[in-house]
Amino acid sequence: MKKLILHTLKEKQGYVSGEELSNSLGVSRTAVWKHINELRKEGYIIESSSKKGYRLTGLPDILDGREVSVPDGQQIGRELVHFADIDSTNNYAKKIGNDGCPHGTVVTAERQTLGRGRVGRLWQSDNSRGLWFSIVLRPDLEPEKVQIITLAASVAVVEGIIEVLDINCGIKWPNDIILGSCKLGGILTELSAEPGHVNYVVVGIGLNINQDSGDFDQELQDKAASLKLFTGKTHSRAKILSGILKSFEKIYTMLLAGETRQIIDKWNKYSVTVGKEVRIISREVEYIGTAQSVALDGKLVVKCKDGTLREVSSGEVQVRGLMGYARD
Ligand code: BT5
């Protein structure tokens, strides 16, 4: 009933009388009033006037199915699991991935106590000012081709933000979302596979939305961006998440259709890596070169000083001029 009342108030975009609500939904006016109060407790701002009735004027920024909406027929985000607190949405997504959850299930959390980056690094996500979520995918791809999913996910994030806010972000290979010269977000892709077969992939996305600079740990203060720091305004996480899930569905469909070239072309359009001087730091070596392109399997092609080309599949890539890399 509460859902129906909310739906009616959203549709009307103006006052609806208590009588109209009680008649159309077949409940008493006292029942309507009770549900309205419950909605208010959940953060919906509903004005009331004895003559005109009720009017919805503000939505809470909650990340469950009430405010995060996906178009009919969309698979990504059709199932949403939301937590107030969790260790890591990727951990939970892997658990339900193992248990057989449907393709496209999305796990969100207000706060993570153990948000993870790559190779055991920490991801600061101890407050509800960002978007911390994971998507479970069941792609029919060979395990070697999964790296391209991280690139596709970065494109989905950038295009989702353009769609909702008309703000242009960049992508730093392989998994950073950049705004200005700082890190706005990151992607952690994890895989469960057997030889030749992918069981599931978890794409974990962390995106800073409404943080002020004091919300970041000391060591991140010069490196981290948030959409609020960039625009000076607070943004709806639910709307941004809905936009990203929609663009994710689009790019994932391209991936399954074998349109890898088109995905790389999109990625190149947003890349802040290609054409720049990069410092590659892997377990074995460290060198400086120029990022040339991204290969169809998602590897970064780097031209070294001596003219040789090297393909980088993992390790740390620093891009000159970004997040503190200045050449000494
Ligand atoms: C990443 O790792 O950038 C991937 C981050 C993925 C986080 C999401 S949140 C939902 C899901 N659940 C999880 O547990 N994880 C995923 P990496 O490239 O390794 O970058 C990690 C580095 O980014 C850290 O060492 C810090 O320097 C920096 N960092 C940490 N928290 C940050 C934040 N909130 N904003 C910007 N930079 C941050």
Side-chain angles (χ1 to χ4, degrees):
M1 182 56 53
K2 202 166 66 180
K3 244 181 163 176
L4 284 175
I5 292 179
L6 183 59
H7 181 74
T8 311
L9 289 175
K10 279 185 176 172
E11 290 268 287
K12 284 275 161 137
Q13 295 184 349
Y15 278 102
V16 190
S17 72
E19 195 181 353
E20 195 181 332
L21 281 170
S22 91
N23 287 345
S24 65
L25 302 172
V27 290
S28 70
R29 287 180 69 169
T30 318
V32 168
W33 176 79
K34 272 193 191 150
H35 289 302
I36 294 274
N37 275 347
E38 274 174 34
L39 287 166
R40 283 178 174 144
K41 278 193 203 129
E42 289 167 20
Y44 291 92
I45 302 173
I46 302 169
E47 287 176 4
S48 54
S49 138
S50 52
K51 285 195 187 130
K52 295 189 248 173
Y54 301 103
R55 181 167 72 131
L56 180 67
T57 56
L59 304 171
D61 196 14
I62 38 183
L63 297 181
D64 60 15
R66 278 168 296 175
E67 292 310 316
V68 179
S69 60
V70 301
D72 287 347
Q74 178 169 314
Q75 290 187 310
I76 306 289
R78 197 172 49 182
E79 298 279 335
L80 272 179
V81 187
H82 178 64
F83 291 92
D85 297 278
I86 199 167
D87 55 350
S88 151
T89 53
N90 263 38
N91 290 355
Y92 190 80
K94 287 200 284 187
K95 183 182 165 304
I96 59 174
N98 276 324
D99 293 347
C101 74
H103 164 78
T105 301
V106 172
V107 182
T108 58
E110 293 294 324
R111 289 165 294 273
Q112 297 185 121
T113 49
L114 265 181
R116 292 186 285 114
R118 292 175 303 157
V119 288
R121 285 189 284 241
L122 288 179
W123 180 258
Q124 199 200 332
S125 41
D126 53 355
N127 59 55
S128 52
R129 300 191 166 188
L131 271 177
W132 328 122
F133 64 104
S134 303
I135 309 173
V136 183
L137 304 171
R138 299 192 181 279
D140 187 12
L141 281 182
E142 287 143 39
E144 305 76 57
K145 295 199 173 145
V146 163
Q147 187 160 8
I148 200 75
I149 293 183
T150 303
L151 272 63
S154 331
V155 171
V157 170
V158 169
E159 296 198 333
I161 294 174
I162 292 177
E163 176 83 15
V164 178
L165 298 174
D166 200 18
I167 292 174
N168 293 301
C169 302
I171 306 171
K172 175 172 139 345
W173 190 92
N175 69 325
D176 287 350
I177 307 298
I178 301 291
L179 187 57
S181 56
C182 293
K183 180 157 170 168
L184 182 75
I187 295 169
L188 174 65
T189 304
E190 297 185 289
L191 167 74
S192 161
E194 291 152 32
H197 173 74
V198 172
N199 296 324
Y200 62 85
V201 175
V202 167
V203 178
I205 299 177
L207 208 56
N208 301 321
I209 312 286
N210 289 323
Q211 289 95 333
D212 294 309
S213 61
D215 291 325
F216 291 111
D217 290 344
Q218 190 68 36
E219 70 273 17
L220 292 179
Q221 303 235 330
D222 301 331
K223 292 187 195 159
S226 81
L227 288 168
K228 183 179 180 200
L229 283 171
F230 186 76
T231 60
K233 285 194 286 192
T234 301
H235 298 280
S236 157
R237 295 174 308 153
K239 273 194 190 145
I240 298 169
L241 178 57
S242 306
I244 292 175
L245 298 181
K246 195 170 155 200
S247 55
F248 203 107
E249 174 95 4
K250 227 193 232 165
I251 197 112
Y252 190 76
T253 308
M254 289 172 69
L255 185 72
L256 294 189
E259 296 173 11
T260 312
R261 180 76 265 159
Q262 288 89 325
I263 294 175
I264 301 276
D265 288 347
K266 273 176 177 282
W267 187 92
N268 270 318
K269 199 166 99 188
Y270 306 119
S271 162
V272 295
T273 309
V274 171
K276 297 272 175 55
E277 180 183 275
V278 288
R279 181 190 280 165
I280 309 294
I281 305 164
S282 73
R283 229 177 288 159
E284 302 82 31
V285 285
E286 181 172 334
Y287 57 94
I288 286 176
T290 305
Q292 291 262 300
S293 58
V294 163
L296 280 176
D297 58 3
K299 287 184 187 144
L300 184 69
V301 183
V302 177
K303 189 171 190 182
C304 304
K305 288 267 165 61
D306 61 6
T308 54
L309 293 178
R310 290 199 198 193
E311 287 200 344
V312 186
S313 60
S314 63
E316 184 65 16
V317 173
Q318 297 177 347
V319 179
R320 194 172 178 201
L322 282 182
M323 293 144 62
Y325 168 31
R327 197 163 169 203
D328 20 72

